[in-house]
Amino acid sequence: MATHLGTSPFQETEDQQALRALARDVAQRELLPWARHWDETEAFPQRSFEALGKSDLLGITIDAAYGGAGFGDIESAIVLEELGRVDVSSAILAQLIFNGPPRAIQHLGSEAMKQKWLPMAAAGEALFCIGISETEAGSAVNHMRAKLSEDGDGFRLNAYKNYVTGGHKSRCCLVWCRFPGSEPGSTKGIGAVIVDLESPGVVIAGTHVKMGLRGTSEAEMAFDDVRIERDDVLLWGDPANSESFKTLIAHINHERCGNAAMCVGAAQGALEYVVGYMNERKIGNKTLADLQGLQWKIADMATQLEGARLLLLRAVHMAGEGGTPPALETAMAKTAANLAAKFVCDEAIQLLGGYGFSREYPIERVYRDIRGLCIGAGTVEVQKNFVGKNVLDGAKPASHGWR
Ligand SMILES: Cc1cc2nc3c(=O)[nH]c(=O)nc-3n(C[C@H](O)[C@H](O)[C@H](O)COP(=O)(O)OP(=O)(O)OC[C@H]3O[C@@H](n4cnc5c(N)ncnc54)[C@H](O)[C@@H]3O)c2cc1C
């Protein structure tokens, strides 16, 4: 009987394949040769940002009306996977544009706000950042203190945001804050404003010195009585309910899928590197690839990675055109991708032996980079809290039946 091989339900369209080829080409030519440099020097990868802008990759998720290509989460994941495969520090810059403030402005902002910011984002003329976390409000975001107060026909923002990726190089920040009447400890009345970082009162208090993602630093940012116009309000926080907070949290699912895509790409790059190495490296008259015990490691690495990739594909396909990836499937994808990347990179270091531990070989850098992705955009533990609670409450994640 003839065996029928079906196609993957996630088969890429011709346009998506072309986008992947473009992203891979730009990554290989423009990002890869500099990846070690950004890590060693901790210099901001401005060159990568410009290369991504010139190749028209930065605008892919922005509507055509504002100069972009109007793609969604699938295409965002394709590009972030390819960029993450060679340099996560540079990929994060694209993540900030694809799944950061510009995406939120596109979905939630007024027409005036879109006209002001989206063409700039699509053209790669400015970087955008997100200010949610505070020193005492990371996972427990309900403890945030950032506060908006009435000031005539507008507002004043007072906030201290911690760990803002690219904040020191950005022109625009999406800031989550309490609206008038909102009480600390509650999610009621939390909304968001868009801040022009050239405004008086914005201060970059410092940048973090980190283990990985050393090119794209995280900033501490003070907002001292910064004037906010009514037009700068992205989402009004009503102190009587948590509706705006829920909308903002749901929107983070774009960022979580982007985070997972970078992890899948980084792990893919590490796996490919170690496969090449094992086919070359001789132990006596055998290569490492000949040793069955090590073949099993490769099998485990490839299987975990593929599982994470499939979960990610499911989440981004479920977003549909112009939608948002669903929360449960996204939390599973992010968890699986974070853990797969950690496992694959750790095993890859082991398989390279002493060279895996050397800074002259790329794997230890990738390992340090993806470590930060297991914390940013909601930690693995917070994702697991969400998944566990939902499954215990009877939630059933969609399987292929959703199609
Ligand atoms: C690389 C990187 C980039 C980032 N970029 C940004 C950014 O651009 N903008 C921004 O606003 N923030 C950003 N962050 C901050 C990030 O969102 C927070 O670090 C994260 O939410 C965790 O908060 P925390 O650091 O305060 O840790 P805590 O919340 O103090 O958590 C400490 C530990 O306890 C665990 N934990 C906490 N609560 C629970 C719970 N209820 N159950 C089980 N375990 C729990 C956590 O998982 C973690 O392991 C970034 C962080 C990193 C590492």
Side-chain angles (χ1 to χ4, degrees), residues 130-133 138-139 162-165 213 218 372 375-376 379 381 385:
I130 314 165
I132 304 171
S133 306
S139 306
N162 191 18
Y163 247 96
V164 181
T165 301
L213 299 172
E218 274 71 34
I375 298 167
T379 64
E381 291 75 18
N385 283 352

